[in-house]
Amino acid sequence: MDHPTPNSDPSVDDSASSSTPSTPGQILDDEPDFALTHNNDSQSSFGASSSREQSVQPPPVRSRPKYPIERLPPELLIYIISKLSSPSDILRCLKVSKAWSDCCVELLWHRPLFTTWDRLVNVVNSIQDSNAHWRYADLIKRLNLSNLSDQINDGTLQPFVNCKRIERLTLTSCSSLTDSGIISLVRGNRQLLALDITGLHSITDLTVAALAQNCPRLQGLNITNCRKVTDASLVTLAENCKYLKRLKLNKCTMVTDESIEAFARRCPSMLEIDLQDCRFITDHSVTSLMLGGRQLRELRLASCSNITDDAFLQLPSHLRYESLRILDLTACHQLTDLAVERIIESAPRLRILVLAKCVEITDRSVMAITKLGKNLHDIHLGRCQQISDDALKELVKACNRIRYIDLAGCHRVTDAAVEKLAQLPKLRRIGLVKCQAITDDSINALAGIRRGERSRSNVAMNLERVHLSYCVRITLGGIKALLNHCPKLTHLSLTGIQAFFLRDDLIQFCREAPAEFNEEQRTVFCVFSGDGVSKLRRYLNEDHFDGEVTMYEEGEMLGDDGDADGILGLMQSTGLDAEDGDGDGDDFDVEMQ
């Protein structure tokens, strides 16, 4: 029996059949995604004749027994079909029977993939077709237009206003959108669970108020860089959307304690909150969030410069936050060792701790961090200039599962500490930018080369990213050893190291400098990534390669008296020693769990 097929193919990607969310965090639906109420039509196709027919006709031919799969409820059939590897396979299943077609069309349409404008037009035409067999507007549950962000405007959203079952809406970087377009889309949509409108600069309180009024089940909201949003709408959102679990307010610079405390009071299920660059936030907000959210898993407070030790010292000493895994306190420069000690005591299972630019902390904080033991995976201590080798050695002893450590600008770090760090069995990434005391001894340690030996260690086998910009005592020989002993290396930053940026034959393998860099910054930029690392390795191992370090003699590299004054002066003249960057165009992002 032939059955109608969709009059357009939304062509989802391979992951479209998964129930894993694509917008802020994992969100568990209150109802099954694709539960249907259609009866299995095999009963009417193969059932016995009516009693009236039996009275005037010969006895019916005995029908064949139903196969088990024909008796499955739609939600189980959808789950089974969703395991198929490609949309084309699902299209074939769609032609088996009416019951199968209803299930398959749900899978094909629940998350259309918009990779081109023509595909968007195709989907819109199907939605607007009044003669279509299926009501496609009701099938779309995840709408993501971010791939076409430059072409999306308020008019583009109008065909989707009748899609009232959207659960996850992603409009990242669609900067031409205004309040009007988004409000038309969320109005009347009470199924919306997650919204991401990152980078929509024109969005105001009107959009957030519309969310509060129409979307009571909202669980995830990302309004990063929506700088016009204020406490007025956010307080209303907190009052009406009590199921919020994930909230990102990065660079919403008008947010104050008033709205954050409202979320702390009204949203007890909060799991993740990001307040980066919300500079009006004070200790009261932080304390309220932690008191009201014992299940909090991720708290990001980067550049909230008003936060002091009191934000954590005011917490009752008996409280434990066993679920807290990620804490980002970048550039909270008023924090001291007292705060770090209380944090470790209260959150003993922290996995990622970011204390970069917390300039007041000392070895005492590092000793407190050692109590995290095997739980600690990533530790960021960049620009914490009071930290010494002694504390880092203790950290290695206690926390042997560290995968990434950032020590950028920690000028007291020497080869002795790096040699200990190189013993971490799971180390994949290390940041030593501007650690100007380290030499090739550190590089050989990272390469797994012990003095007098040339064997490769397990640590070297795992190393993927090494940041060495402005480590001016490192030579070409050390870098060659690192490349040859670390086969998984995919990123190597060597900005400001004369042995590299002065050689045209080497910088040909560098990636392009960031567009915002000036001419002097571009001159010293030297970062190898991806295929560039492989090409550099091959080039250095070629027989014809000239191993001379630079056109200068070795003593001239570091200045007239053999020290680092020459390159340090260059760093200052190019502005690369500024407070807010490391000058290699590769910011140390905090890895998400």
Side-chain angles (χ1 to χ4, degrees):
M1 179 170 101
D2 293 331
H3 296 278
T5 59
N7 54 0
S8 64
D9 180 8
S11 297
V12 296
D13 58 10
D14 289 345
S15 64
S17 61
S18 170
S19 60
T20 303
S22 59
T23 48
Q26 183 176 2
I27 298 175
L28 300 178
D29 298 347
D30 296 331
E31 303 171 358
D33 260 355
F34 306 113
L36 302 178
T37 58
H38 302 296
N39 294 321
N40 191 326
D41 68 339
S42 60
Q43 295 179 359
S44 59
S45 299
F46 301 101
S49 304
S50 67
S51 59
R52 183 173 182 179
E53 289 173 333
Q54 290 180 9
S55 64
V56 296
Q57 295 181 1
V61 178
R62 185 177 179 182
S63 63
R64 69 166 177 81
K66 294 180 183 177
Y67 294 112
I69 198 169
E70 293 180 290
R71 295 195 295 266
L72 288 177
E75 56 267 31
L76 289 183
L77 185 57
I78 286 173
Y79 177 78
I80 293 171
I81 297 174
S82 72
K83 299 303 179 182
L84 293 175
S85 59
S86 71
S88 60
D89 291 335
I90 299 177
L91 279 172
R92 294 186 184 97
C93 292
L94 183 144
K95 300 177 182 179
V96 171
S97 70
K98 182 179 185 300
W100 280 46
S101 66
D102 287 340
C103 295
C104 290
V105 77
E106 288 266 2
L107 288 170
L108 289 169
W109 274 83
H110 88 287
R111 182 168 60 186
L113 181 63
F114 300 108
T115 55
T116 65
W117 183 259
D118 288 341
R119 183 160 301 195
L120 175 62
V121 171
N122 188 25
V123 171
V124 167
N125 289 338
S126 298
I127 291 174
Q128 295 180 328
D129 185 359
S130 59
N131 296 319
H133 180 74
W134 286 280
R135 182 175 167 80
Y136 296 110
D138 290 340
L139 300 178
I140 297 176
K141 294 190 175 181
R142 299 183 186 181
L143 182 61
N144 186 341
L145 300 177
S146 57
N147 287 334
L148 303 173
S149 57
D150 294 340
Q151 299 169 274
I152 303 299
N153 55 38
D154 290 347
T156 313
L157 299 185
Q158 290 310 302
F160 297 98
V161 296
N162 292 322
C163 300
K164 300 302 183 185
R165 296 180 64 192
I166 295 176
E167 296 176 353
R168 295 176 177 90
L169 177 60
T170 305
L171 301 170
T172 305
S173 301
C174 298
S175 54
S176 296
L177 290 176
T178 67
D179 289 325
S180 175
I182 298 178
I183 290 173
S184 67
L185 204 54
V186 303
R187 184 181 291 122
N189 188 347
R190 303 185 68 80
Q191 304 299 315
L192 191 65
L193 297 176
L195 173 66
D196 187 346
I197 50 174
T198 298
L200 274 61
H201 306 292
S202 62
I203 296 305
T204 70
D205 286 333
L206 294 176
T207 291
V208 179
L211 284 171
Q213 182 179 358
N214 291 276
C215 309
R217 298 179 62 203
L218 193 69
Q219 296 180 17
L221 177 63
N222 188 344
I223 55 173
T224 295
N225 230 350
C226 296
R227 298 175 183 267
K228 296 182 180 180
V229 174
T230 71
D231 288 339
S233 61
L234 290 173
V235 169
T236 303
L237 185 75
E239 293 173 349
N240 292 358
C241 300
K242 61 182 180 180
Y243 300 111
L244 269 172
K245 295 180 179 180
R246 295 167 178 86
L247 183 63
K248 292 185 178 292
L249 303 178
N250 310 29
K251 300 180 181 179
C252 294
T253 52
M254 301 179 72
V255 172
T256 73
D257 288 340
E258 181 184 0
S259 57
I260 303 306
E261 291 181 5
F263 286 117
R265 290 193 310 270
R266 304 288 296 183
C267 303
S269 301
M270 191 70 71
L271 299 176
E272 302 169 10
I273 186 164
D274 191 339
L275 303 175
Q276 178 180 341
D277 278 327
C278 295
R279 299 180 184 272
F280 294 126
I281 298 302
T282 70
D283 296 339
H284 298 294
S285 288
V286 179
T287 305
S288 297
L289 282 171
M290 298 195 72
L291 288 175
R294 295 285 300 280
Q295 72 289 340
L296 203 62
R297 294 199 304 231
E298 179 178 331
L299 179 60
R300 296 183 181 271
L301 302 168
S303 299
C304 294
S305 54
N306 287 324
I307 294 175
T308 71
D309 290 348
D310 287 342
F312 303 99
L313 297 179
Q314 291 174 2
L315 296 172
S317 58
H318 67 279
L319 289 185
R320 294 293 179 269
Y321 298 88
E322 299 287 345
S323 298
L324 191 60
R325 295 293 184 270
I326 300 175
L327 180 61
D328 185 355
L329 298 170
T330 301
C332 295
H333 56 80
Q334 297 190 60
L335 295 181
T336 70
D337 296 330
L338 292 174
V340 176
E341 289 172 340
R342 175 56 63 86
I343 288 168
I344 301 304
E345 179 183 349
S346 300
R349 301 184 67 185
L350 273 173
R351 185 171 295 174
I352 298 176
L353 179 60
V354 188
L355 297 171
K357 301 182 184 178
C358 294
V359 295
E360 297 297 328
I361 70 171
T362 69
D363 284 351
R364 180 176 165 185
S365 287
V366 179
M367 296 305 295
I369 293 170
T370 61
K371 296 177 182 178
L372 294 175
K374 65 181 181 180
N375 293 311
L376 186 64
H377 287 182
D378 294 18
I379 177 70
H380 299 244
L381 299 169
R383 297 188 184 277
C384 297
Q385 299 182 359
Q386 301 186 58
I387 292 174
S388 71
D389 287 351
D390 292 339
L392 293 175
K393 291 176 183 178
E394 295 301 317
L395 184 68
V396 171
K397 291 179 184 178
C399 306
N400 63 358
R401 292 191 179 182
I402 292 176
R403 302 174 311 176
Y404 172 34
I405 184 167
D406 173 24
L407 298 169
C410 296
H411 61 84
R412 297 178 64 187
V413 172
T414 71
D415 291 334
V418 179
E419 288 171 358
K420 290 295 183 182
L421 292 169
Q423 297 174 13
L424 291 168
K426 296 183 179 295
L427 188 66
R428 294 181 181 178
R429 183 175 178 183
I430 185 168
L432 297 169
V433 173
K434 301 178 188 173
C435 293
Q436 293 149 5
I438 69 172
T439 69
D440 281 351
D441 286 343
S442 290
I443 307 307
N444 288 331
L446 292 173
I449 301 174
R450 298 184 179 90
R451 288 185 176 89
E453 300 180 12
R454 291 288 167 180
S455 60
R456 182 185 297 172
S457 70
N458 291 332
V459 176
M461 291 291 290
N462 294 327
L463 206 57
E464 297 173 0
R465 299 171 68 90
V466 180
H467 306 261
L468 298 169
S469 295
Y470 304 110
C471 295
V472 294
R473 302 182 188 278
I474 292 173
T475 70
L476 190 57
I479 297 302
K480 182 178 179 180
L482 185 69
L483 288 166
N484 285 335
H485 286 79
C486 302
K488 292 185 179 180
L489 198 65
T490 60
H491 182 97
L492 181 61
S493 64
L494 302 170
T495 296
I497 298 179
Q498 294 188 27
F500 282 84
F501 76 80
L502 290 177
R503 292 191 59 152
D504 292 338
D505 60 330
L506 299 182
I507 64 173
Q508 64 175 317
F509 306 118
C510 290
R511 73 184 193 193
E512 291 292 326
E516 65 270 17
F517 274 25
N518 60 36
E519 188 60 33
E520 291 181 325
Q521 290 172 324
R522 290 176 181 276
T523 299
V524 297
F525 181 81
C526 191
V527 176
F528 304 89
S529 59
D531 193 44
V533 175
S534 300
K535 291 179 178 178
L536 178 64
R537 181 187 292 116
R538 287 195 297 268
Y539 181 77
L540 293 179
N541 287 318
E542 289 177 356
D543 292 337
H544 63 76
F545 174 69
D546 179 7
E548 290 296 322
V549 175
T550 67
M551 68 186 75
Y552 302 100
E553 296 296 331
E554 185 174 357
E556 293 177 334
M557 284 178 55
L558 301 176
D560 295 337
D561 56 356
D563 60 20
D565 291 342
I567 192 62
L568 293 181
L570 180 59
M571 288 167 56
Q572 294 170 355
S573 67
T574 57
L576 295 177
D577 199 30
E579 179 66 23
D580 296 328
D582 293 316
D584 64 357
D586 187 64
D587 293 335
F588 294 106
D589 53 84
V590 181
E591 190 173 331
M592 295 293 294
Q593 285 296 100

